[in-house]
Amino acid sequence: MSTHSTGPAPYPRAEVSPPSGELFPHKHLLGIWGLDPTAIKHLLDTADGYAEQNRQAKKSTDKCEGLTQINLFFENSTRTLMSFEIAGKRLGMEVTSMSTGTSSIKKGETLLDTAATLNAMRPDVLVMRHADSGAVKLLSEKMDCAVINAGDGRSEHPTQALLDALTIRRRKGRIHGQTIVISGDVAHSRVARSNIYLLNAMGARVRLVAPSTLLPKDVDRLGVEICHRMEEGLEGADVVMMLRLQQERMQGAFLPSLREYYQFWGLTHEKLKYAKEDVLVMHPGPMNRGVEISSDVADDLDRSAIEEQVEMGVAVRMACLDILTRGLREEDGQ
Ligand code: CP
């Protein structure tokens, strides 16, 4: 994993913090929608501290000792699941990841009965991913503990947007005023939606570059610029986020062929010439190399922040777990 020490200094943090409840007055993290810039900044500032701690030899604390975290993933994951497990353990939590494939869900138990069962075990945090938009919110209404959305359908993936924002802020020094291009399969992407909400809230200029078949139906209400040609869309970009083509969520024909998609929409060094010289390339992963991005661009350490995004994922998830359990720890006098 590359650890880029060059670039602007980390964003300055406030020296004296008010109680966290004033800065993040929410029980759950279900989406970026509904968070104000103060809450987003508080999460990013806290994560920045963990990013530094994670680069030390000793990475763990006992801050959340005695608390229990359950990870409940109904869809596959490498980055989000592993980083939530590592994040909880680095904070001293007991972390259990339920294997949905071998659970009683396979015997027909409903999502709400599963929620009631897990709730009876008294976890302090539940992290959930589900294929249906709104499933995580539904479950949060049945749980006594904090619930974190690790991705629900096409709706939101808030911790991905936060780790993307932290990566941009550390590399570029700020989010406000940056021209950020989000390109590819926006229609099926919860990552894109959470990023659009966050980047707009923090004052970035967001431009979507995609064929019209891969834009969401409500795109006109998202407060973004839209381009249908890569060369035009990349003009003046400070950051370009490429999105995975989510063929598992596509019903019907959205594309002519993968080869043509790459020709028109795949990010190559040739197309990247239209962006600013110091453009930062991002991808939430997993990547389809040779479909939405060339290997040369993905592996170009001068441009690509893809590994750093993964690194920031652990820091952001530590910040989310820390902030959402702070009330519990304050009750216990910790
Ligand atoms: N970016 C992301 O959510 O990756 P995983 O599906 O591997 O968690």
Side-chain angles (χ1 to χ4, degrees), residues 4-13 48 52 55 166-175 178 278 280 302 308 312:
H4 299 274
S5 54
T6 53
Y11 196 85
R13 289 192 289 279
D48 222 350
E52 296 309 315
R55 289 184 176 184
L166 184 62
T167 306
I168 295 168
R169 204 176 74 166
R170 287 171 66 95
R171 281 293 198 99
K172 296 285 184 185
R174 64 193 165 87
I175 297 169
Q178 299 284 314
D278 62 347
L280 192 66
D302 291 335
E308 196 171 334
M312 292 307 125

Side-chain angles (χ1 to χ4, degrees), residues 90-255:
R90 285 196 183 159
L91 292 170
M93 290 208 204
E94 286 163 27
V95 182
T96 304
S97 295
M98 187 174 120
S99 164
T100 50
T102 54
S103 71
S104 289
I105 291 159
K106 288 283 172 198
K107 299 178 200 160
E109 190 164 42
T110 65
L111 180 62
L112 293 183
D113 284 342
T114 304
T117 302
L118 296 177
N119 193 49
M121 295 178 195
R122 295 185 168 272
D124 300 291
V125 185
L126 187 129
V127 180
M128 178 175 164
R129 170 172 285 191
H130 200 280
D132 293 341
S133 306
V136 182
K137 182 174 186 307
L138 181 70
L139 184 124
S140 74
E141 289 160 8
K142 305 290 168 194
M143 300 295 294
D144 295 323
C145 68
V147 174
I148 300 178
N149 182 359
D152 67 321
R154 302 179 188 191
S155 177
E156 284 231 38
H157 192 349
T159 57
Q160 178 70 43
L162 287 162
L163 75 87
D164 290 339
L166 184 62
T167 306
I168 295 168
R169 204 176 74 166
R170 287 171 66 95
R171 281 293 198 99
K172 296 285 184 185
R174 64 193 165 87
I175 297 169
H176 190 275
Q178 299 284 314
T179 297
I180 300 181
V181 168
I182 302 178
S183 179
D185 183 3
V186 185
H188 301 98
S189 177
R190 55 200 178 203
V191 172
R193 191 165 286 272
S194 288
N195 263 304
I196 290 166
Y197 295 152
L198 188 152
L199 295 168
N200 273 340
M202 301 309 276
R205 179 177 173 185
V206 183
R207 190 182 297 152
L208 304 184
V209 184
S212 48
T213 50
L214 292 181
L215 287 173
K217 288 195 178 69
D218 64 345
V219 70
D220 293 340
R221 296 205 300 268
L222 293 175
V224 293
E225 298 169 15
I226 298 165
C227 272
H228 296 298
R229 286 185 64 244
M230 282 290 263
E231 291 78 1
E232 186 191 340
L234 289 171
E235 193 71 48
D238 295 292
V239 177
V240 54
M241 285 184 191
M242 298 308 295
L243 298 174
R244 181 172 70 87
L245 207 53
Q246 302 201 20
Q247 295 187 75
E248 76 276 18
R249 295 190 211 281
M250 292 183 190
Q251 284 153 354
F254 284 80
L255 313 163

Side-chain angles (χ1 to χ4, degrees), residues 73 75-82 129 150 157 160 163 190-191 244 283-286 317:
F73 278 56
E75 280 189 322
N76 294 342
S77 170
T78 299
R79 281 146 283 265
T80 313
L81 178 58
M82 289 305 296
R129 170 172 285 191
H157 192 349
Q160 178 70 43
L163 75 87
R190 55 200 178 203
V191 172
R244 181 172 70 87
H283 192 302
R317 284 151 187 149

